[in-house]
Amino acid sequence: MQKTKETLAELVRVYEAAVSTLKADIGAFVEHGTLPPHDRREQRLWTYPELRITYRGHERTARASRAFGRLESAGTYSTTVTRPHLFTDYLSEQLALIEAEYEVEFTVGRSAQEIPFPYVLEGVSVGAVTPQELATHFPSTELAMIGDEIADGTFLCGEDEPHPLALFDGLRTDFSLARLAHYTGTSPEHCQRFILFTNYHRYVDEFVDWAGQQVGSDGYVALSGAGGLYLDAPAQNARARLSDTAWRRHQMPAYHLIREDRSGITLVNIGVGPSNAKTITDHLAVLRPEAWLMIGHCGGLRESQRIGDYVLAHAYLRDDHVLDPVLPPEIPLPAIAEVQQALAQAAEMVSGEGGANLKKRMRTGTVVTTDDRNWELRYTESARRFSLSRAIAIDMESATISAQGYRFRVPYGTLLCVSDKPLHGELKLPGQANRFYEEAIASHLKIGLISCDLLREQGDRLHSRKLRAFNEPPFR
């Protein structure tokens, strides 16, 4: 696709020129006190590249069934782009689909959106110069310009303004890339397109041991992790290389089993609570994952469940509250069939059981996600609400992750493991917890890993039209 290749090359050229100019100007100011030339802003020399697509309504062979890469009406579509090298595969896929199916023009130019100086400081020594001094002369992060209005469908376009081309512009993306490095302790460049979330560190140990043995096979080239973990050759007992300092320095450490095309697997230990779940998914969303899955522990709410049983969420009772202003809890979160089938198939493969036998071990139904770690202290009120919802399990992250997947068009799913039954007198006592961990962690994680393999095989069929809004941007 010639147009696509030329467009990507021009995005790289314009972006790198802007970053190089901004870095050089900051360096001159820091070293010599030289003020930047007055025409930098007039000529837009510090700005993100803008990608525009002009469509006059002529299709070639557009696929009506695909959930993305569609131009709904004639007009101009645009977005700003940051770090095009990081997003080469994604941009190439989106542009190639549109070029193949529509008669369009691609153009790249300098936008009006300036690159904030904190995002280009890598390799630049600022010495004793303060951020406040830099902000006086160079673009800084204006929070009023960063938001999710496009994803939430609340954006307003003037009559002569272009339609949004993507869910996230350059400014929003750079904001999240910086936050990801801070929270996870790893480079965003190492994040993979299939993501597992967990709420217990023992999953990290199991994942790192398994992943260390996969390096060099099945397309996996390296294992990267918080605390400086990096392996580019297979290793046994890789958990021994984990750094204890990662826990003190990083709120949600991440571990990446890397493929060169980023189709590997990332595991993030998000800890406990919906606030963490929202925070990390807000930022991972800009990387446009293919899917994210919650693989963690829960409280079983039914007397018939046993410790170690699985729960496949088909619906959620959202008592997490963190997303209520942008996604009211009465909005249903549809189950994504492709994800549900992958999780169920993986559970069959790992357990060696199917049909009625698997149902003895795995329940499907509603999962409650609460923001109250001590919900048991409101037993009477909670039990009635859970009964009305027919809930079978409770946790503090799953509905938040799924709601964020719904908001940001990332296919989502949840497979939990019952670690206690608080309504039925089975609490997590230390001895019981250790036995449970030993027996359940490895097989539960394996289900998540196999699910990622199955979802990878789906290709673009994985992306459901259930997640598309009425005024949807063309890019996935």
Side-chain angles (χ1 to χ4, degrees):
M1 292 287 181
Q2 191 60 29
K3 279 185 186 179
T4 293
K5 290 180 180 178
E6 293 172 355
T7 301
L8 288 171
E10 187 64 4
L11 282 169
V12 170
R13 187 193 70 79
V14 174
Y15 175 75
E16 290 186 346
V19 170
S20 178
T21 300
L22 183 53
K23 276 188 171 184
D25 290 343
I26 292 172
F29 176 76
V30 169
E31 190 171 349
H32 306 293
T34 306
L35 297 179
H38 71 278
D39 64 348
R40 288 295 197 247
R41 286 194 153 114
E42 293 174 7
Q43 296 185 23
R44 299 184 174 183
L45 296 181
W46 292 336
T47 63
Y48 293 104
E50 180 184 57
L51 170 60
R52 285 195 174 217
I53 295 179
T54 303
Y55 172 51
R56 295 183 172 84
H58 302 295
E59 292 184 5
R60 291 193 174 102
T61 55
R63 266 181 56 190
S65 60
R66 191 179 53 242
F68 59 92
R70 297 175 47 76
L71 301 176
E72 299 294 345
S73 60
T76 301
Y77 300 79
S78 76
T79 189
T80 55
V81 175
T82 189
R83 297 177 64 174
H85 281 303
L86 176 59
F87 293 97
T88 295
D89 291 343
Y90 168 75
L91 291 169
S92 179
E93 177 191 41
Q94 306 307 304
L95 290 171
L97 288 171
I98 292 173
E99 181 183 354
E101 299 181 6
Y102 301 90
E103 294 182 17
V104 291
E105 295 175 11
F106 297 158
T107 57
V108 176
R110 298 171 184 160
S111 72
Q113 192 178 77
E114 293 183 327
I115 305 173
F117 73 83
Y119 303 147
V120 303
L121 288 184
E122 185 176 353
V124 178
S125 174
V126 298
V129 176
T130 67
Q132 291 76 16
E133 290 176 282
L134 290 175
T136 301
H137 305 288
F138 300 98
S140 59
T141 305
E142 297 287 346
L143 295 180
M145 304 298 294
I146 302 172
D148 287 327
E149 289 81 5
I150 297 174
D152 291 327
T154 59
F155 66 90
L156 297 174
C157 279
E159 237 177 75
D160 299 324
E161 292 181 338
H163 304 294
L165 181 59
L167 292 175
F168 306 108
D169 62 14
L171 197 57
R172 170 67 167 84
T173 300
D174 262 340
F175 174 77
S176 281
L177 295 179
R179 291 295 178 93
L180 279 174
H182 170 74
Y183 285 120
T184 68
T186 59
S187 168
E189 295 179 355
H190 291 170
C191 287
Q192 302 297 290
R193 291 187 283 119
F194 294 88
I195 300 173
L196 298 178
F197 298 108
T198 188
N199 49 14
Y200 281 89
H201 179 68
R202 294 198 185 213
Y203 283 83
V204 172
D205 292 339
E206 195 70 34
F207 177 78
V208 169
D209 272 353
W210 173 83
Q213 299 171 44
Q214 308 308 308
V215 176
S217 64
D218 197 24
Y220 296 116
V221 297
L223 171 64
S224 166
L229 174 70
Y230 192 85
L231 300 173
D232 56 9
Q236 299 292 323
N237 193 32
R239 77 173 69 180
R241 307 190 188 199
L242 291 176
S243 168
D244 289 338
T245 63
W247 291 103
R248 293 194 293 271
R249 297 174 57 194
H250 308 294
Q251 186 173 339
M252 290 173 275
Y255 304 85
H256 316 284
L257 183 56
I258 298 170
R259 285 185 167 186
E260 289 185 350
D261 63 357
R262 293 187 56 241
S263 68
I265 301 171
T266 285
L267 177 80
V268 186
N269 184 1
I270 60 176
V272 176
S275 180
N276 275 5
K278 178 184 184 297
T279 296
I280 199 65
T281 47
D282 275 341
H283 302 312
L284 284 169
V286 305
L287 293 172
R288 307 315 298 139
E290 298 288 348
W292 57 40
L293 309 175
M294 179 65 194
I295 306 292
H297 291 174
C298 66
L301 297 179
R302 300 302 180 96
E303 196 280 330
S304 59
Q305 289 170 306
R306 297 170 297 173
I307 304 298
D309 280 358
Y310 298 126
V311 172
L312 178 58
H314 275 6
Y316 302 90
L317 177 60
R318 290 177 50 205
D319 283 346
D320 53 333
H321 300 120
V322 295
L323 288 169
D324 290 2
V326 293
L327 189 67
E330 65 267 19
I331 302 298
L333 303 179
I336 307 301
E338 293 80 2
V339 177
Q340 301 297 98
Q341 290 166 2
L343 287 167
Q345 184 179 345
E348 287 187 4
M349 294 167 67
V350 172
S351 68
E353 299 176 335
N357 287 332
L358 181 61
K359 288 182 178 179
K360 295 177 183 176
R361 180 79 193 279
M362 184 172 74
R363 293 284 297 269
T364 60
T366 298
V367 169
V368 182
T369 293
T370 178
D371 59 356
D372 182 359
R373 181 60 188 86
N374 297 316
W375 60 270
E376 298 97 330
L377 300 180
R378 297 180 291 111
Y379 174 82
T380 303
E381 177 185 347
S382 298
R384 180 177 182 276
R385 181 165 168 76
F386 298 165
S387 179
L388 286 173
S389 70
R390 310 298 191 263
I392 60 173
I394 184 168
D395 79 345
M396 298 187 70
E397 301 86 24
S398 293
T400 313
I401 287 167
S402 295
Q404 289 282 77
Y406 180 84
R407 283 184 72 208
F408 297 134
R409 289 69 157 174
V410 178
Y412 51 85
T414 298
L415 184 74
L416 302 174
C417 197
V418 175
S419 60
D420 60 334
K421 293 166 58 181
L423 296 186
H424 306 284
E426 293 190 48
L427 305 178
K428 270 188 273 194
L429 301 175
Q432 180 190 40
N434 288 334
R435 288 193 300 274
F436 164 72
Y437 288 138
E438 291 169 4
E439 296 170 2
I441 297 293
S443 59
H444 190 198
L445 177 64
K446 191 174 181 180
I447 293 172
L449 296 170
I450 291 175
S451 297
C452 289
D453 291 337
L454 295 173
L455 293 173
R456 190 184 296 116
E457 295 171 3
Q458 292 277 339
D460 65 22
R461 293 173 298 168
L462 172 60
H463 297 279
S464 173
R465 285 176 289 172
K466 296 174 185 176
L467 302 182
R468 303 288 282 182
F470 290 167
N471 52 348
E472 191 71 12
F475 280 10
R476 176 177 66 77

